[in-house]
Amino acid sequence: MQHIFVHESPLTFHLQNDALSYIIAILPGGLPAQLYCGRRIHDRADFSYLRGKAMPFSVALTMANDSIPEESMRLEYPCYGSSDYRQCAVSLLQENGSRLAVFAYDSYKILPGKPRLQSLPATYAEAPEEAATLVLRLRDRIAGALCELYYTVFSEGGALARSVRFVNEGAQTLSLERAMSLCLDLPDHDYEWISLNGAWARERTPAAARLTPGLQGVESLRGNSSHQNNPFLALRRPHATEHSGEVLGFSLVYSGNFLAQVQVDQNGFSRVLMGINPAWFSWEIKPGDSFQTPEAVMVYSDQGLNGMSRSFHRLYRTRLVRGPWRDAPRPILINNWEATEFDISEEVILKIAEKAKACGIEMFVLDDGWFGARRSDRAGLGDWVPAPEVLPDGIRGLSEKVTALGMKFGLWIEPEMVNPDSDLYRAHPDWILRIPDRRATLFRNQCVLDFSRPEVVDHIHGMLAKLLRESKISYIKWDMNRSITECFSAALPPHRQGEVFHRYILGVYALYERLISEFPDILFESCASGGGRFDPGMLYYAPQTWTSDDTDAYERLRIQYGTSLVYPISAMGSHVSAVPNLQTGRRVSLRMRADVAFFGTFGYELDLNTLTDEEQAAVARDTAFMKAHRQLIQFGDFYRLASPFEGNDAAWMVVGEDRAEAVVGWYHALHAVNTPARTLKLTGLNPDAVYTVSIPSGNGTAREIGAFYGDELMNVGVISRPDRPEVDDFLHPAGDFSSEIFLLKETRAE
Ligand code: DGJ
């Protein structure tokens, strides 16, 4: 249960839920200060002892000057320009050229539940008792600005959501140049900071380093949240592990340029800042207008990184994702991209779909190349009209034929982009982001449409809505295959070009919102050259994201492992693809390819007609297995057990909410010869329950290997690889890239 305790003198707010306490006090000058953020503690009438002692700039100054430097304080929403020299939360340009805003306490209100954020994705509460929101109203009367700090404390999972709203209450025009969503000053820096980094086809690799004095952080300036750095940061106590110890996780619900940063200052304090990247950002606020920042979510865990991840998973799965697909097991689909790339025809497509149907697959997804002059990536983007030479009966005809097979039909689009060789570009050459008199950089032969302009979004909406109305479409894969360059809008005056990056992403959100409200039953999957926009902002609109263009199962193990730090299994698009793998040339067994893809939305990315009969039978069995277990896998509690970044083996498991069932995946990169028995210790089970452990066998049934107490499975580790009769290190070595799935079912609770 969440609480917001208010103590009037000194004015103090204690936000508390099942795991966390977060305490703010208003200092004598009106600045809100951070007193405590950590494991839940009892409330008390006076927390003044937590204020700490003021640190002077120098002895001489302390003697001569009675003001306490702000840099010795832990502040909730600091501004540079007075005596806080650290990285700050806000910078507000006023007409006289000053950027200082002293946002001092004015009033507060407490709201049941959680208010929606205007035009931005955010977590939500369905019932008022799920959460409570504190709004701290701060004012700078000289600038004429109101700044509202929103803190929503969710009853469960140690989660706290923060955002900030500015209102221009004065007569002058203001310009925000920095407006972070979250600032948190912690009293020490005894942490490792963890981030998720990578590149195309190797997204979200975890990195960890000790906090050191000065700045450390990650960011994007690409216009999308990016393959390179994810809008996420965690602080872990040095001895914390996957399963125990304190972790603070920070995640930004935003898909554009971001900054996530920690600064360790002269006092050893750590300042965490998260929000829209202030570089190349500004936002004009006219008198009477307002600006809303994106939301940042913080979770506190005293159960290690897995505890942090479970809190993010649950919150994002149940209170960020929306619509009928939120709680529904995801359809098992087949996508033609890796099988055909642009070489498609209705005949080819239907052949793939028919075979997929025979194997029990539920949906066919037609990828790139079906529209306009799009016979390669050189032309056609922007012309969302089916190409008659590819699809004589259009998308409508094809979708009806696929539906007649007894499958759902899904379609690929890339609405934010245009090829210069397209009817759209020829009609509206000024609709792209481009700096006047400079060349527009082409990536993959395409330009970025200026989604900061409502008329551009309207036009694309018109084409897509027509298509969706006319055809039987159950799923959309919304791709985005390049980052932004030459960010400049022909529709804005010179002094407002700093708004374009943010306005662009607001345009993307607006189009999503329109489409999902008009077509609520369509399942959207977001994609950006694989996982270049795998962020919480996207999940508000699209319940799942294509995790990576790298479909090699061994690579996917790593990518999905890293992704699981923040994002739920139900959000991770994961497909079995052909061997040799398109990205790596590696040959991973069909068994392991499926065993990795099970821990995601599950589907196929190949032409099943090219498989042997035996392999097709395996596909049918794996599809049946996933249908039987996807509810548990996609909606249970996920735990990482062994990291593919640290050794030859990797393992993870999902446990049902009532702890009566579990599925374990254990993976081995290289085959090790003549090794001692390796055991796997599980977690998250009921220690007093007895579980039967079985291995799904090739014929679709499961072979029982024994019954064990939960405490044995968790502490002794009875799952042991060489104990299994069908894997004999000498007679039948498993070979490289092998894996096992174990099913656990509670039989008797004591
Ligand atoms: C990039 C995506 O990540 C792929 O899955 C595929 O849809 C291609 N784009 C199509 O152009």
Side-chain angles (χ1 to χ4, degrees):
M1 192 57 203
Q2 82 289 345
H3 293 284
I4 300 180
F5 300 98
V6 182
H7 303 290
E8 294 297 336
S9 180
L11 189 54
T12 306
F13 304 91
H14 179 181
L15 290 74
Q16 189 192 62
N17 61 15
D18 62 338
L20 167 88
S21 277
Y22 191 97
I23 304 174
I24 305 163
I26 305 300
L27 297 177
L31 294 180
Q34 159 60 218
L35 295 194
Y36 175 79
C37 170
R39 189 193 297 249
R40 173 191 161 119
I41 55 173
H42 284 96
D43 189 47
R44 60 187 290 144
D46 185 357
F47 280 110
S48 308
Y49 76 95
L50 286 171
R51 267 200 216 164
K53 93 179 204 302
M55 303 288 290
F57 171 68
S58 78
V59 175
L61 265 183
T62 335
M63 313 307 279
N65 189 337
D66 61 0
S67 57
I68 301 168
E70 285 169 17
E71 65 179 336
S72 72
M73 303 171 186
R74 290 188 282 124
L75 298 172
E76 281 296 295
Y77 210 67
C79 182
Y80 172 83
S82 180
S83 56
D84 187 340
Y85 300 96
R86 294 166 288 186
Q87 299 294 308
C88 66
V90 58
S91 175
L92 186 68
L93 180 62
Q94 295 138 62
E95 285 181 357
N96 66 2
S98 160
R99 289 178 165 81
L100 175 64
V102 182
F103 283 116
Y105 175 78
D106 180 274
S107 55
Y108 76 91
K109 62 181 174 184
I110 291 175
L111 308 168
K114 182 172 190 291
R116 296 253 167 186
L117 258 61
Q118 208 191 342
S119 311
L120 280 166
T123 56
Y124 56 89
E126 275 197 336
E129 61 277 7
E130 286 178 3
T133 301
L134 168 70
V135 186
L136 280 186
R137 278 210 201 88
L138 316 176
R139 283 202 160 85
D140 182 316
R141 294 189 192 280
I142 293 170
L146 170 74
C147 168
E148 290 181 326
L149 306 183
Y150 283 74
Y151 300 84
T152 297
V153 60
F154 286 93
S155 56
E156 280 177 20
L160 182 76
R162 292 181 58 178
S163 69
V164 183
R165 185 170 165 267
F166 295 88
V167 182
N168 184 345
E169 299 179 319
Q172 62 172 316
T173 297
L174 301 171
S175 182
L176 270 174
E177 295 183 328
R178 175 183 271 258
M180 304 310 283
S181 302
L182 171 149
C183 173
L184 174 62
D185 281 352
L186 296 164
D188 68 81
H189 63 285
D190 190 20
Y191 292 102
E192 277 189 343
W193 72 286
I194 298 173
S195 54
L196 291 172
N197 314 293
W200 172 80
R202 50 181 169 84
E203 298 90 337
R204 290 171 298 288
T205 303
R210 282 301 293 249
L211 281 184
T212 54
L215 291 176
Q216 40 251 293
V218 286
E219 65 172 0
S220 171
L221 278 171
R222 296 167 185 267
N224 53 317
S225 51
S226 89
H227 300 87
Q228 288 73 14
N229 303 117
N230 200 257
F232 159 77
L233 188 81
L235 294 180
R236 163 172 78 173
R237 290 294 186 192
H239 301 296
T241 66
E242 278 285 10
H243 306 289
S244 66
E246 283 195 318
V247 181
L248 283 166
F250 305 89
S251 166
L252 189 66
V253 187
Y254 190 57
S255 312
N257 289 350
F258 73 91
L259 177 68
Q261 188 179 63
V262 190
Q263 182 176 25
V264 177
D265 70 10
Q266 60 182 348
N267 300 317
F269 296 168
S270 302
R271 171 167 288 179
V272 183
L273 287 166
M274 188 172 241
I276 294 178
N277 200 326
W280 281 272
F281 168 78
S282 66
W283 196 272
E284 184 177 88
I285 319 180
K286 293 259 185 234
D289 285 355
S290 63
F291 179 80
Q292 171 68 58
T293 72
E295 169 170 295
V297 175
M298 187 192 93
V299 304
Y300 168 81
S301 157
D302 58 7
Q303 292 166 40
L305 284 169
N306 267 320
M308 173 199 76
S309 301
R310 279 200 309 284
S311 295
F312 277 132
H313 292 181
R314 188 169 287 253
L315 184 67
Y316 287 173
R317 181 164 55 70
T318 65
R319 293 295 180 266
L320 176 64
V321 171
R322 299 173 293 168
W325 285 103
R326 183 186 73 180
D327 304 321
R330 302 304 158 73
I332 298 174
L333 64 83
I334 185 155
N335 176 303
N336 68 292
W337 177 248
E338 288 201 5
T340 63
E341 297 202 339
F342 289 104
D343 197 6
I344 52 172
S345 66
E346 191 178 87
E347 199 192 335
V348 167
I349 293 307
L350 286 175
K351 235 176 116 208
I352 298 177
E354 277 159 20
K355 183 59 77 181
K357 171 65 189 168
C359 292
I361 292 170
E362 298 162 310
M363 179 154 74
F364 176 83
V365 175
L366 177 60
D367 212 280
D368 200 351
W370 56 266
F371 50 90
R374 186 79 170 170
R375 302 296 76 77
S376 73
D377 63 12
R378 308 195 73 82
L381 265 186
D383 300 335
W384 300 108
V385 179
E389 65 272 32
V390 179
L391 303 175
D393 298 323
I395 286 296
R396 181 187 186 152
L398 179 64
S399 66
E400 281 166 358
K401 287 174 202 168
V402 170
T403 312
L405 291 175
M407 297 176 95
K408 303 258 183 230
F409 179 76
L411 191 64
W412 177 98
I413 56 173
E414 193 178 1
E416 300 155 63
M417 301 290 155
V418 65
N419 285 122
D421 183 1
S422 66
D423 293 342
L424 180 67
Y425 185 85
R426 281 182 283 273
H428 300 283
D430 62 327
W431 274 12
I432 63 164
L433 294 173
R434 143 185 239 163
I435 300 175
D437 306 324
R438 293 188 187 275
R439 91 179 170 74
T441 302
L442 289 181
F443 285 143
R444 209 193 187 202
N445 310 302
Q446 64 197 54
C447 300
V448 184
L449 285 171
D450 183 355
F451 262 43
S452 76
R453 295 170 71 168
E455 67 274 28
V456 178
V457 175
D458 279 352
H459 183 86
I460 298 294
H461 168 261
M463 282 194 278
L464 295 178
K466 180 170 181 298
L467 195 70
L468 294 177
R469 264 194 302 271
E470 286 174 357
S471 313
K472 289 187 184 314
I473 296 176
S474 304
Y475 159 107
I476 285 288
K477 176 177 174 187
W478 178 320
D479 206 346
M480 193 266 189
N481 281 303
R482 60 159 290 178
S483 294
I484 292 175
T485 54
E486 293 90 25
C487 185
F488 188 101
S489 171
L492 284 175
H495 71 284
R496 290 182 57 198
Q497 292 299 323
E499 298 177 20
V500 182
F501 273 121
H502 184 55
R503 284 191 184 277
Y504 174 87
I505 210 72
L506 291 180
V508 173
Y509 291 154
L511 182 56
Y512 258 118
E513 191 65 41
R514 282 169 81 174
L515 291 175
I516 64 171
S517 27
E518 287 161 38
F519 306 97
D521 294 329
I522 292 182
L523 171 62
F524 282 81
E525 177 157 339
S526 73
C527 172
S529 294
R533 214 161 52 180
F534 203 134
D535 60 61
M538 280 291 124
L539 290 182
Y540 185 67
Y541 306 96
Q544 55 193 59
T545 301
W546 182 225
T547 310
S548 176
D549 273 349
D550 190 341
T551 57
D552 175 289
Y554 176 64
E555 303 281 317
R556 268 309 189 96
L557 200 53
R558 298 156 76 96
I559 295 168
Q560 291 172 212
Y561 197 91
T563 304
S564 79
L565 248 69
V566 189
Y567 304 99
I569 297 301
S570 55
M572 284 188 226
S574 55
H575 299 169
V576 173
S577 61
V579 290
N581 180 268
L582 208 60
Q583 295 81 25
T584 61
R586 191 176 283 138
R587 290 173 184 276
V588 173
S589 65
L590 188 57
R591 178 71 276 117
M592 176 158 161
R593 279 179 275 158
D595 287 353
V596 173
F598 284 148
F599 289 83
T601 59
F602 195 70
Y604 287 84
E605 185 100 10
L606 45 74
D607 182 353
L608 296 172
N609 293 295
T610 61
L611 301 190
T612 63
D613 289 351
E614 205 182 314
E615 287 170 330
Q616 288 178 17
V619 168
R621 282 194 302 270
D622 289 339
T623 301
F625 174 88
M626 189 58 181
K627 284 180 187 166
H629 298 286
R630 63 185 157 184
Q631 177 72 38
L632 168 64
I633 294 177
Q634 293 170 353
F635 301 97
D637 284 335
F638 178 82
Y639 296 86
R640 290 173 299 275
L641 299 176
S643 168
F645 298 100
E646 287 167 14
N648 193 48
D649 283 9
W652 51 39
M653 68 185 286
V654 176
V655 185
E657 208 171 337
D658 57 3
R659 299 192 294 173
E661 277 185 289
V663 184
V664 181
W666 197 6
Y667 310 89
H668 323 280
L670 299 183
H671 181 72
V673 182
N674 193 18
T675 51
R678 281 173 291 161
T679 56
L680 186 64
K681 289 183 186 169
L682 307 184
T683 191
L685 302 172
N686 175 357
D688 302 319
V690 174
Y691 294 88
T692 51
V693 180
S694 57
I695 299 173
S697 46
N699 62 10
T701 60
R703 191 179 51 74
E704 214 172 290
I705 59 169
F708 306 94
Y709 280 103
D711 58 8
E712 294 176 274
L713 290 160
M714 293 192 288
N715 298 300
V716 186
V718 292
I719 291 182
S720 162
R721 194 161 179 253
D723 287 350
R724 294 174 42 207
E726 70 273 30
V727 178
D728 180 311
D729 266 0
F730 300 103
L731 298 178
H732 314 289
D736 294 342
F737 308 116
S738 65
S739 58
E740 296 95 27
I741 295 287
F742 298 90
L743 294 171
L744 275 70
K745 208 167 174 46
E746 183 184 338
T747 49
R748 172 166 48 91
E750 297 215 330

